[in-house]
């Protein structure tokens, strides 16, 4: 009986390269369709391998999801923590630094955001638990950032901070979804677009204040 070597690939492709192809395809499938609707068969077909080979490389569907999620979650957390560190005085405002870090961390795997924020994960599963860990860590950073912004604006209402945290997550999700649909937009271009949108928003709000 022939067994698969730990170093072997398929059709002349080294195993490490084939695994990368599988993870890229799986990230896109999970991000676009959600965990529940994604099948191992569909991922295998995209890469051009068999289901048994994919299971041999990664194990179960949940194991494959975790193999996609973990590097995305680690990369996002590291990037966001660095963006929120005390900057020099010439750095952009914190929200723009955070968005630039988010876009940079997701570049090449934009659907990764939706792998993390997948509402179809089985409740109580290892997949749901791991995603919840990353979401909680990101929410904790967002809570710090939004509280700081409101404090600087003279608000100390904790419900204001909580509402803004949820609004910020929704904004990030909407921007990433738009970015997925505009593949030619680089992380830098997205950050610059956000800066223009924020500036326009401030102008509109200032005009409303003057008219009241």
């Amino acid at each position: 009986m022939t067994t698969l070597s730990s170093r072997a690939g398929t059709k002349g492709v080294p195993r490490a390269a084939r695994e990368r192809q599988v993870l890229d395809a799986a990230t896109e499938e999970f991000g676009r369709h959600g965990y529940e609707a994604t099948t191992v068969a569909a991922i295998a077909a995209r890469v051009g391998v068999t289901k048994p080979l994919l299971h041999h490389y990664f194990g179960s569907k949940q194991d494959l999801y975790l193999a996609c999620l973990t590097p995305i979650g680690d990369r996002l957390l590291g990037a966001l923590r660095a963006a929120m560190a005390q900057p020099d005085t010439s750095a952009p405002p914190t929200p723009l630094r955070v968005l630039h870090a988010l876009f940079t961390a997701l570049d090449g795997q934009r659907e990764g955001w939706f792998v993390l924020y997948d509402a179809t994960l089985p409740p109580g599963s290892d997949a749901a638990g791991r995603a919840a860990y990353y979401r909680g860590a990101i929410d904790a950073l967002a809570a710090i950032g939004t509280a700081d912004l409101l404090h600087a604006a003279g608000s100390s209402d904790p419900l204001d901070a909580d509402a803004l945290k949820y609004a910020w997550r929704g904004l990030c999700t909407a921007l990433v979804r738009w970015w997925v649909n505009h593949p030619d937009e680089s992380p830098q271009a997205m950050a610059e677009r956000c800066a223009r949108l924020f500036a326009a928003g401030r102008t509109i709000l200032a005009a409303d204040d003057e008219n009241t």
Side-chain angles (χ1 to χ4, degrees), residues 50-74:
T50 64
K51 281 179 60 179
L53 183 68
L54 193 150
H55 284 302
H56 175 75
Y57 281 0
F58 291 100
S60 67
K61 173 180 168 180
Q62 179 173 238
D63 292 331
L64 178 56
Y65 168 85
L66 289 169
C68 295
L69 172 68
T70 299
I72 291 167
D74 289 343

Side-chain angles (χ1 to χ4, degrees), residues 76-137:
L76 275 171
L77 272 180
L80 297 180
R81 284 169 176 158
M84 290 183 65
Q86 187 66 32
D88 60 56
T89 55
S90 63
T94 300
L96 291 176
R97 296 200 315 274
V98 167
L99 286 172
H100 187 275
L102 185 151
F103 298 136
T104 301
L106 290 175
D107 196 28
Q109 287 188 319
R110 300 180 185 187
E111 289 84 2
W113 181 262
F114 304 103
V115 174
L116 175 58
Y117 290 95
D118 187 342
T120 72
L121 296 173
S125 65
D126 289 345
R130 190 64 177 168
Y133 161 75
Y134 286 119
R135 292 175 191 172

Side-chain angles (χ1 to χ4, degrees), residues 16 28 42 84 94 130 144 161 178 192:
E28 190 170 331
M84 290 183 65
T94 300
R130 190 64 177 168
I144 294 170
W178 187 89
E192 292 171 357

